Amino acid sequence: MFHRLPKDLGENYSPLYWLAALGAGGLTVSFFMWLMFWVPSEGMVPFFEDIAAALQSGHTGLQTAIVLAWAGILAMAFIHFRLLFWNIREHRRFLRTDAYLKNMRGNRTEVQLLAAPLTVAMTINVGFVLGMVFVPGLSAIVEWLFPAAMVAFLVVGGWALRQLGDFWGRVLTESDCDCAADNSLAQALPAFALSMVGVGLAAPAGMSSVPATAAFSLALSSFFLIAAVITGAVMLVLGIRAMMEQNANPISAPSLWIGVPVLTIIGITLVRQTAGIEAHFGAEAGGVQTLGLLTYFLAAQVALLLLGWVVLRRFNYFGRFVVGPERSAGSYTLVCPGVALAVMIHFFTNVGLAHHGVIETYGAAYWALTAIALTVQAATIGLVLQLNRKHFRVDAGSRQQFGASAAGSSS
């Protein structure tokens, strides 16, 4: 995506465009899965030295995978940061418009603002991926980086909690929220944001060799994990009831898949916490429990995808909003389930099945499952490129198109 981005959209901007940067950041992490599970390393994740050694002495297939992973990480990280800075600029200007001050502030659609901390939390993850993959010697100082990373995630988590607190405080004390009008799962976006903070806070639990760091990581990530589960459960019940009473909203129908990335994030959080508990506190928390957990979560994701697909197909959503003439910023919600499913299949295959001897590492069954993850990843990359061309290419009449997009996405 090297074309010029639109500028000064004002009231035509939608906070849901943060999801465009989020999706590119997620794809950056999806390419890191290749290195994480295919490059030999002594720790939980490979660093630059491990990757360089594998590139020098590994077989041709591994060398090719490393080069492609490097290229994919750089390309997706470039798109992520470009859209991140674009969103920061346009978001700040949007907050001064009547579209926000009169139409969104104090309205149920104000929850869309949680897309900003959600994306910034992903940015921290992208930064760590770039550091581990491209910065020599990072492994020697990584223990010093863990506390700094936890502080960064706590700042983002505090930002998300403050926005969510404003929303919940208004809803529960002023009672001006029309729950029946929320005939989608768009209100579950805060659960997505809180879980993203939680999985970032859980990383030191699985990677740090310092018990105190791991303990703080476990405690802090558990808080955001529970907060995400409670928030998501409430919004799931309210959203499903509203959709059954008034039918689903065609424009925000992709929100039916928002549970897919949330489940992947929660699953990775629990895997990281399990590794930390085993390493530092002498408890056997892995084995069948980890395999069962990943199996249940993947099964739940498939069920949610099937449910969402039934609704999206009946609305002809892809024909209208992806390849057709209609535009909605909410269509970027479709990217997150693709990224999440690919990552979850990698974890299920490697951490679940292969690690516990259910299938042979690099055997036929292993590569059959991995091929599914790679196919989903490739399809998601194609979706991102298609949506970026549709939404961000500057051409004649683009400002009017953005106006229609922003209006539609606020439903």
Side-chain angles (χ1 to χ4, degrees), residues 253-297:
S255 65
L256 287 168
W257 282 351
I258 199 170
V260 176
V262 173
L263 285 173
T264 290
I265 294 171
I266 292 176
I268 296 174
T269 301
L270 294 175
V271 168
R272 289 174 170 177
Q273 290 183 337
T274 297
I277 292 172
E278 289 183 339
H280 297 287
F281 306 108
E284 292 295 332
V288 175
Q289 293 91 333
T290 301
L291 175 58
L293 179 146
L294 293 173
T295 302
Y296 296 148
F297 277 28

Side-chain angles (χ1 to χ4, degrees), residues 105 110 160-171 174:
R105 185 175 177 82
E110 190 176 0
L161 288 173
R162 180 177 180 181
Q163 290 186 337
L164 184 59
D166 290 341
F167 176 77
W168 278 110
R170 175 179 53 79
V171 169
E174 300 176 12

Side-chain angles (χ1 to χ4, degrees), residues 327-348:
R327 293 165 50 132
S328 168
S331 59
Y332 276 97
T333 309
L334 296 170
V335 177
C336 302
V339 173
L341 182 62
V343 170
M344 178 58 85
I345 294 175
H346 278 300
F347 267 84
F348 175 71

Side-chain angles (χ1 to χ4, degrees), residues 148-291:
M150 286 194 290
V151 170
F153 277 112
L154 283 176
V155 170
V156 177
W159 177 19
L161 288 173
R162 180 177 180 181
Q163 290 186 337
L164 184 59
D166 290 341
F167 176 77
W168 278 110
R170 175 179 53 79
V171 169
L172 297 179
T173 59
E174 300 176 12
S175 300
D176 61 349
C177 182
D178 185 2
C179 294
D182 293 324
N183 49 344
S184 71
L185 296 184
Q187 299 297 314
L189 186 62
F192 196 177
L194 295 175
S195 63
M196 185 67 73
V197 173
V199 74
L201 287 168
M207 298 173 60
S208 177
S209 60
V210 179
T213 301
F216 276 105
S217 173
L218 285 166
L220 294 172
S221 61
S222 295
F223 169 78
F224 282 94
L225 172 64
I226 296 301
V229 170
I230 293 174
T231 303
V234 171
M235 293 307 181
L236 175 65
V237 173
L238 293 177
I240 293 295
R241 177 176 179 177
M243 284 186 285
M244 294 185 70
E245 290 179 347
Q246 301 194 42
N247 300 328
N249 185 333
I251 295 178
S252 54
S255 65
L256 287 168
W257 282 351
I258 199 170
V260 176
V262 173
L263 285 173
T264 290
I265 294 171
I266 292 176
I268 296 174
T269 301
L270 294 175
V271 168
R272 289 174 170 177
Q273 290 183 337
T274 297
I277 292 172
E278 289 183 339
H280 297 287
F281 306 108
E284 292 295 332
V288 175
Q289 293 91 333
T290 301
L291 175 58

